[in-house]
């Protein structure tokens, strides 16, 4: 049995560096102007002082200081973004309207670690409307929208996140969510597994009161399966990542849009005629390839799975080995979920000006650590863009230090956040014994969120000018059993789905 290994932070959260030292560390990692990484223009002013939020004393209008964000004064701007996001999220808004009277999450204490954007803010406020108490941290040091975090803090949420956190800040924020006097979580909503790992490592006794974990990323689900195989998973966990809506919509359609947006924002590159290699042809890879092909790029694909490889060929892409094209491509994109896909050997052979980025959750797919050597020079060009310069003058363009520059679009919110809310309701209200200490796939029926009035995505179809035979859909998507895998229970899901 393979030993479970988690990447520990280099510095314990409680060994806080000095004010100058932490500021230097944060600058070296992000050097971020404080622009929010959102799909709309940010109201955040890059002229904000560089004082760490950890050194600021801030209170909202109600006098509460149980949060740590960049600037509480940006709350009004964040509230406008949240209101705009609500218009594109009919599923969560319908769930909020339908269930807030009965409060299916009354008594739930949810600790979350996700991207903090206008869309996830709608999720948090929906959970609150359904009766839950929430404490939240960011799963990515670059993706937090500062003005949205301010709006949440003003609304009474305990949020600990800002754009451009250092690694030490990242773990400190998670600890502030978990380690609080008089409050103990009983549900976990995670993106990447870092929150779950931190509780296992620092506060394992908390799992005595935790009813379940909801995880939405490939990386986090893999870590849960590792724990399960080792017999160390002591609560039920719901795998939202492999739900039908996440796979078919978020991983494909959201990434199809966000890959272009992320590259344009960071490099302003023209795609027509560029040679691009996409490592991995899963749903994320399919979305990236389709977008780049439509923009006129010459797209190569690397893949180890024979089915996905055949799909790439059938879709008209040339299947290659990375070693065959690494010298000639202009852009390298990884979306495999594995580690060391692009090693130092390949980085050395890349052409001058090659752009390197990652669309996965973890930054292990590209061996960035091998680039931190004395003979190579790092040059920060702009927020989330670094040039790594070789002694002969060759340079590659590294985006977000190969953490994914993915944004949450309305497509993501339609397909991902609603199943997360439903999974929390299901695990929290499930009778004792329904779910064992294992990882469960989100039942297909729950993924489609069927109810007496139809599925959540049916509500969305009128905005797309689409109609179809409802009775036919009901006949095709109501199987005799809700069992979707050997880990799924035979009992029916909660009435909320």
């Amino acid at each position: 049995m393979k030993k479970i290994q988690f990447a520990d932070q280099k510095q314990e959260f409680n060994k806080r560096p000095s004010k100058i030292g932490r500021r230097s560390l944060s600058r070296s990692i992000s050097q971020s102007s404080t622009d929010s990484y959102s799909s709309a223009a940010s109201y955040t002013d890059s002229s904000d002082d560089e004082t760490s939020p950890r050194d600021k004393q801030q209170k909202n209008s109600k006098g509460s200081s149980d949060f740590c964000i960049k600037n509480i004064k940006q709350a009004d701007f964040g509230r406008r973004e949240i209101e705009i996001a609500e218009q594109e999220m009919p599923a969560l808004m319908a769930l909020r309207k339908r269930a807030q009277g009965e409060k299916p999450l009354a008594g739930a204490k949810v600790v979350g670690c996700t991207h903090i954007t206008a869309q996830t803010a709608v999720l948090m406020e929906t959970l609150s409307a359904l009766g839950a108490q929430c404490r939240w941290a960011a799963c990515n040091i670059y993706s937090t929208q500062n003005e949205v975090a301010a709006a949440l803090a003003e609304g009474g949420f305990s949020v600990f996140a800002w754009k451009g956190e250092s690694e030490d800040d990242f773990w400190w924020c998670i600890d502030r969510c978990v380690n609080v006097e008089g409050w103990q979580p009983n549900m976990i909503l995670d993106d990447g597994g870092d929150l779950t790992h931190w509780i296992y490592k620092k506060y394992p006794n908390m799992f005595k009161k935790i009813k379940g974990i909801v995880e939405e990323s490939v990386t986090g689900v893999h870590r849960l399966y590792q724990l399960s195989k080792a017999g160390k998973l002591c609560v039920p966990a719901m795998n939202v990542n492999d739900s039908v809506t996440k796979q078919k919509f978020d991983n494909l359609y959201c990434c199809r849009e966000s890959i272009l947006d992320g590259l344009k924002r960071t490099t302003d590159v023209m795609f027509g005629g560029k040679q691009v290699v996409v490592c991995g042809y899963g749903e994320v890879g399919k979305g990236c390839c389709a977008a780049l092909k439509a923009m006129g790029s010459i797209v190569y694909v690397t893949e180890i799975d024979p089915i996905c490889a055949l799909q790439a060929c059938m879709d008209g892409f040339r299947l290659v080995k990375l070693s065959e094209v690494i010298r000639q491509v202009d852009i390298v994109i990884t979306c495999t979920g594995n580690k060391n896909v692009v090693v130092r050997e390949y980085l050395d052979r890349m052409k001058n000006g090659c752009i390197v980025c990652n669309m996965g959750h973890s930054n292990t797919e590209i061996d960035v650590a091998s680039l931190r050597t004395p003979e190579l020079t790092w040059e920060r060009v702009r927020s989330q863009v670094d040039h790594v310069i070789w002694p002969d003058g060759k340079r590659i363009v590294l985006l977000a230090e190969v953490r994914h520059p993915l944004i949450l679009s309305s497509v993501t919110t339609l397909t991902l956040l609603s199943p997360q809310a439903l999974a929390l309701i299901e695990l929290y209200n499930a009778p004792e014994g329904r779910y064992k200490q294992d990882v469960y796939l989100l039942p297909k029926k729950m993924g489609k969120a069927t109810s007496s009035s139809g599925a959540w995505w049916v509500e969305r179809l009128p905005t797309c000018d689409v109609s179809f035979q409802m009775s036919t859909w009901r006949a095709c998507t109501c199987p005799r059993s809700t069992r979707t895998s050997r880990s799924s229970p035979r009992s029916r899901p909660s009435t909320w789905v």
Side-chain angles (χ1 to χ4, degrees), residues 12 30 34 54 56 76 101 115 123 160 163 187 195 209 294 296 344 373 376 383 392 423 425 452:
E12 291 292 330
S30 67
T34 51
R54 291 167 62 175
K56 294 180 180 180
D76 289 342
H115 298 280
L123 170 65
F160 300 86
K163 185 179 179 182
M187 294 295 298
L195 172 59
K209 293 188 177 181
R344 177 61 187 269
T373 56
L376 300 182
S383 174
D392 63 359
I425 293 173
S452 58

Side-chain angles (χ1 to χ4, degrees), residues 361-382:
H361 178 88
S362 178
N363 62 343
T364 59
E365 296 190 45
I366 301 169
D367 188 11
V368 175
S370 68
L371 298 177
R372 298 193 181 279
T373 56
E375 71 270 16
L376 300 182
T377 303
W378 283 63
E379 181 180 273
R380 176 52 56 96
V381 179
R382 65 177 74 163

Side-chain angles (χ1 to χ4, degrees), residues 304-316:
I304 61 173
D305 181 270
I307 300 301
C308 292
L310 181 57
Q311 286 181 305
C313 291
M314 298 290 283
D315 288 337

Side-chain angles (χ1 to χ4, degrees), residues 466-485:
V466 173
S467 61
F468 64 100
Q469 187 70 31
M470 186 66 184
S471 60
T472 303
W473 172 80
R474 289 178 183 272
C476 294
T477 59
C478 296
R480 295 181 180 178
S481 172
T482 58
R483 188 175 176 85
T484 58
S485 73

Side-chain angles (χ1 to χ4, degrees), residues 28-237:
S28 67
I29 290 178
S30 67
Q31 192 65 36
S32 171
S33 65
T34 51
D35 306 345
S36 284
Y37 201 68
S38 66
S39 55
S42 169
Y43 295 100
T44 308
D45 187 355
S46 60
S47 64
D48 284 351
D49 67 84
E50 294 185 4
T51 304
S52 170
R54 291 167 62 175
D55 297 323
K56 294 180 180 180
Q57 295 295 327
Q58 301 184 77
K59 291 185 179 181
N60 62 18
S61 61
K62 298 178 182 178
S64 173
S65 59
D66 188 21
F67 59 87
C68 188
I69 59 172
K70 186 67 177 178
N71 188 352
I72 190 66
K73 295 179 181 179
Q74 298 170 354
D76 289 342
F77 298 127
R79 177 53 52 189
R80 295 172 196 168
E81 292 195 20
I82 294 172
E83 290 172 354
I84 293 172
E86 288 177 346
Q87 300 175 22
E88 289 296 312
M89 305 179 70
L92 280 176
M93 298 307 293
L95 179 62
R96 186 188 301 184
K97 181 179 180 180
R98 175 189 173 194
Q100 66 179 352
E102 300 185 33
K103 306 286 185 186
L105 289 176
K109 297 180 179 179
V110 182
V111 59
C113 183
T114 67
H115 298 280
I116 295 182
T117 65
Q119 292 79 20
T120 52
V122 178
L123 170 65
M124 293 169 62
E125 292 183 344
T126 298
L127 297 179
S128 178
L130 300 186
Q133 299 177 29
C134 300
R135 297 181 68 85
W136 230 262
C139 70
N140 186 296
I141 63 177
Y142 292 122
S143 64
T144 298
Q145 291 177 250
N146 288 330
E147 61 269 23
V148 171
L152 289 169
E154 177 61 30
F157 287 90
S158 299
V159 178
F160 300 86
W162 59 92
K163 185 179 179 182
E165 298 170 9
S166 69
E167 294 289 340
D168 178 66
D169 292 333
F170 174 79
W171 293 109
W172 180 86
C173 288
I174 288 179
D175 192 76
R176 283 294 306 272
C177 284
V178 175
N179 184 21
V180 55
E181 185 177 355
W183 194 92
Q184 183 170 325
N186 54 26
M187 294 295 298
I188 295 175
L189 178 56
D190 210 353
D191 182 348
D194 290 320
L195 172 59
T196 303
H197 164 55
W198 187 256
I199 296 177
Y200 264 106
K201 180 181 178 181
K202 294 290 184 180
Y203 312 102
N205 289 333
M206 283 189 177
F207 281 99
K208 293 179 180 179
K209 293 188 177 181
I210 291 176
K211 292 188 174 183
I213 302 168
V214 176
E215 173 59 57
E216 72 94 357
S217 74
V218 174
T219 302
V221 167
H222 179 66
R223 297 169 85 170
L224 288 175
Y225 279 123
Q226 283 185 312
L227 289 172
S228 179
K229 290 178 180 179
K232 295 183 178 181
L233 185 62
C234 52
V235 296

Side-chain angles (χ1 to χ4, degrees), residues 244-304:
V244 60
T245 47
K246 172 73 159 56
Q247 288 289 320
K248 298 298 183 182
F249 293 90
D250 173 42
N251 288 359
L252 177 60
Y253 297 115
C254 176
C255 293
R256 188 176 69 180
E257 297 191 25
S258 63
I259 182 61
L260 300 180
D261 182 86
L263 287 171
K264 277 291 186 183
R265 286 178 188 273
T266 51
T267 67
D268 201 27
V269 68
M270 186 172 186
F271 297 108
K274 290 289 191 300
Q275 297 190 65
V276 183
V277 60
V278 177
C279 302
Y281 202 68
E283 298 301 325
V284 173
K286 289 180 177 68
C288 293
C289 289
L292 292 163
K293 181 180 180 180
M295 295 299 292
S297 299
I298 302 166
V299 182
Y300 304 99
V301 173
T302 70
E303 180 56 73
I304 61 173

